[in-house]
Amino acid sequence: DSCVEIWLENLMDTLPDDRRDICFISPSAMQMIPGRWTPDFFVQDWAELRLPEMDLTLMPVNDCETEFSEDDLDVVAGSHWGLLVYFRPLNTFRMYDSLGSSLRPQCLKAASKLSAAFGAGDDFSFEVEGSAPRQENSYDCGAYVCVLAEELTRCFLANKRLMGEGELRGITPEKVRLRREEMRHLAGRDP
């Protein structure tokens, strides 16, 4: 969980300074979704993120359904992570889940609660990316989230679009294994 957060912060730091159209929402912030917070809360409390101005927003989502209170926001629970992406040009929330569609309920809830914060209106679409790369073990979901976030960002920067099926096939278990080693190294350096 903290590795995902550190990796996404590092990825954000590598973006060109003039990029103001990409946003990463931290796993700990996304932990608020199952809670009792209303869509209006996210519109007001997350206003500083300028979500209506973002063309690409990446949000790690996990399978935790616990409704935390404000005192518990530093707690990250759940055992499986996926990536929810909001792509403004298509007014679409797209779910990438390395186990298929196990996170569909959590991602739908996030899209519903956050659509007003994005200015998406009620006519946004929600898609499950059927070509999302699949993990072959029980522990690499966080590494898949990080690789997907990096590759989706790279594709967006180069082409102003999301990745296609062929590009997603390029995210192999070996590529994820190598990235997991890099994540371990980065997390070990981070205080």
Side-chain angles (χ1 to χ4, degrees):
D1 306 343
S2 60
C3 287
V4 172
E5 190 136 358
I6 291 167
W7 189 262
L8 292 179
E9 286 173 7
N10 186 61
L11 182 57
M12 190 68 182
D13 289 343
T14 65
L15 292 178
D17 289 338
D18 63 341
R19 293 314 297 224
R20 304 277 185 247
D21 55 353
I22 300 174
C23 181
F24 300 98
I25 298 178
S26 73
S28 54
M30 289 301 293
Q31 197 70 39
M32 299 170 70
I33 299 300
R36 294 182 271 288
W37 292 275
T38 65
D40 288 339
F41 168 84
F42 294 106
V43 169
Q44 295 167 7
D45 198 63
W46 290 12
E48 66 195 36
L49 295 175
R50 301 180 348 267
L51 294 175
E53 299 170 28
M54 301 297 152
D55 285 335
L56 180 69
T57 303
L58 298 113
M59 302 162 275
V61 174
N62 75 21
D63 58 1
C64 177
E65 288 292 330
T66 303
E67 291 190 10
F68 293 104
S69 69
E70 289 185 45
D71 297 331
D72 297 322
L73 291 181
D74 58 340
V75 175
V76 178
S79 60
H80 176 60
W81 288 92
L83 188 66
L84 180 63
V85 172
Y86 179 68
F87 187 57
R88 173 165 313 290
L90 298 177
N91 197 27
T92 298
F93 287 91
R94 188 172 293 172
M95 178 187 94
Y96 297 82
D97 183 348
S98 59
L99 290 180
S101 60
S102 67
L103 293 171
R104 184 181 176 87
Q106 292 85 353
C107 288
L108 272 170
K109 184 177 217 174
S112 295
K113 279 198 170 186
L114 296 176
S115 62
F118 283 99
D122 292 332
D123 62 340
F124 68 87
S125 64
F126 177 84
E127 302 171 355
V128 175
E129 178 53 69
S131 300
R134 300 288 191 263
Q135 67 189 76
E136 297 177 337
N137 55 40
S138 61
Y139 53 83
D140 267 341
C141 56
Y144 273 84
V145 166
C146 293
V147 172
L148 276 163
E150 184 177 355
E151 295 300 323
L152 285 163
T153 299
R154 185 175 291 131
C155 182
F156 176 77
L157 289 171
N159 306 305
K160 289 287 210 186
R161 62 174 176 77
L162 296 177
M163 296 173 70
E165 183 177 338
E167 294 160 312
L168 287 167
R169 277 196 301 267
I171 300 175
T172 63
E174 177 63 14
K175 184 174 192 164
V176 172
R177 185 192 67 73
L178 293 170
R179 189 66 80 238
R180 183 173 13 92
E181 294 303 318
E182 290 176 37
M183 290 169 63
R184 258 193 217 133
H185 177 70
L186 180 66
R189 287 186 312 179
D190 208 84

